[in-house]
Amino acid sequence: MNRKLIALDLDGTTLNDTQQITLETQEVLNKLRKEGHIISIVTGRPYRNSYYYYNQLKMDTPIVNFNGAWCHNPSDKKWEHGYHKTLSKDLAISMLSLKDDPEVQLIAAESRDGIYVHGDFIPYPDYFPEGIEVSRQLTSETLLVDPTSVEVFTNTQLNQPIIEERIIKNYGNAVEVRTWGGLSPCLEVVAAGVQKAMGVERIASYYNINQKDIIAFGDEENDYEMIQYAGEGIVMKNGNERLKAIANDLTAVTNHENGLAEYLTRYFKLVSDE
């Protein structure tokens, strides 16, 4: 079998419903690495709350954060094959106009090294892994760099289309809007043209892996281009129905039932250690 690039979304895919990578999943990924396959995390999360999964898996490969806006290699600070796409800080500040919408719980601008927030809502338990005190208030006086993304957290997914329409009306072709579900629904705004497939393509090129040898796993709308681009796009049983419609295959069980590990074990015909 050719060497594969295995691109992994985190929430709803590699992580179970309690935001954990199970021992079974970790063992399967370790086996595949030992067989020479490349495994990379491709997530909507910033690096600040995905690095501990990267470290847990003892990874040394590139990671894609912010839904494709930042491709980098934390284990090699001199890695020159990555990229970083940003929004203008003026655009980010102007998005504070959304704060008056009763459905909006938190607006956060993220840079590679910091987070700036309006509101005191904590979207999910590990949103501030180092504590909320690491954040700064989102104002024109504090935000002095062009951010990588702006996150708008809402009460429910049902209200996302209305707010997304408002964002698109205001900013048109200057931005992309990606949606997350899960514990706290989020609209993530990134620079125009940014999506996860950008990062996957960059990593595959670095390792000289053909597109047909890319296997990507995802579950939500923000995985759409990645699933479409991969030679084999696999969607979780718990995944979005629109995403399932373009999938090459589905996992037999959900993320909370080790669906990723179960699928990879069958696909690569891995032998149990027991």
Side-chain angles (χ1 to χ4, degrees):
M1 180 181 290
N2 291 343
R3 181 169 69 159
K4 304 289 186 181
L5 168 60
I6 304 168
L8 303 177
D9 171 53
L10 284 178
D11 295 276
T13 302
T14 306
L15 307 184
N16 64 17
D17 289 347
T18 57
Q19 312 285 291
Q20 302 294 316
I21 297 178
T22 65
L23 181 59
E24 180 178 347
T25 298
Q26 189 168 333
E27 288 175 347
V28 167
L29 295 177
N30 284 340
K31 287 179 182 178
L32 292 173
R33 259 200 318 235
K34 288 177 182 177
E35 291 187 1
H37 302 293
I38 305 299
I39 297 169
S40 280
I41 292 171
V42 185
T43 179
R45 289 183 179 225
Y47 184 61
R48 66 178 179 81
N49 62 12
S50 55
Y51 75 87
Y52 38 88
Y53 299 119
Y54 185 92
N55 291 340
Q56 179 185 345
L57 294 172
K58 297 184 170 67
M59 302 185 85
D60 60 5
T61 47
I63 182 173
V64 178
N65 291 110
F66 300 107
N67 282 317
W70 189 21
C71 178
H72 59 116
N73 190 335
S75 69
D76 182 2
K77 302 300 183 184
K78 296 181 179 179
W79 194 64
E80 298 179 347
H81 302 274
Y83 62 81
H84 182 219
K85 308 289 185 182
T86 60
L87 295 164
S88 79
K89 58 180 181 290
D90 292 337
L91 185 152
I93 292 299
S94 73
M95 289 190 65
L96 285 172
S97 64
L98 296 171
K99 66 183 171 51
D100 297 325
D101 190 310
E103 297 299 328
V104 173
Q105 296 185 294
L106 182 75
I107 300 173
E110 298 259 13
S111 69
R112 287 187 293 192
D113 304 312
I115 178 169
Y116 304 79
V117 302
H118 178 85
D120 54 10
F121 175 69
I122 298 178
Y124 46 87
D126 60 350
Y127 186 71
F128 295 108
E130 312 298 336
I132 194 171
E133 59 274 8
V134 303
S135 66
R136 301 183 69 186
Q137 285 299 303
L138 177 57
T139 68
S140 56
E141 288 76 30
T142 58
L143 185 65
L144 302 178
V145 298
D146 289 338
T148 313
S149 74
V150 176
E151 298 161 355
V152 181
F153 288 92
T154 60
N155 286 319
T156 69
Q157 280 184 283
L158 293 175
N159 300 307
Q160 285 183 332
I162 297 170
I163 299 171
E164 181 177 359
E165 184 178 341
R166 183 175 166 187
I167 293 170
I168 292 171
K169 181 179 179 180
N170 288 344
Y171 305 107
N173 295 328
V175 301
E176 301 282 351
V177 184
R178 303 294 168 185
T179 60
W180 308 351
L183 296 174
S184 296
C186 177
L187 293 166
E188 181 169 47
V189 181
V190 292
V194 165
Q195 30 82 7
K196 288 185 175 185
M198 287 176 58
V200 174
E201 183 179 22
R202 182 65 61 95
I203 295 169
S205 175
Y206 175 71
Y207 288 105
N208 294 313
I209 292 176
N210 194 287
Q211 184 177 355
K212 68 180 176 60
D213 290 317
I214 300 170
I215 307 173
F217 290 83
D219 72 308
E220 276 286 357
E221 196 75 22
N222 62 333
D223 298 311
Y224 192 92
E225 290 88 354
M226 178 175 73
I227 294 297
Q228 193 174 49
Y229 173 76
E232 296 184 71
I234 314 302
V235 175
M236 306 302 293
K237 182 178 180 180
N238 51 283
N240 177 290
E241 291 303 318
R242 181 168 175 260
L243 201 62
K244 288 179 179 179
I246 64 164
N248 296 106
D249 203 358
L250 306 178
T251 64
V253 293
T254 70
N255 65 305
H256 200 59
E257 302 168 292
N258 284 314
L260 173 67
E262 191 275 340
Y263 190 95
L264 289 171
T265 298
R266 285 190 291 108
Y267 183 94
F268 287 97
K269 299 180 174 59
L270 298 177
V271 177
S272 172
D273 291 332
E274 297 180 0

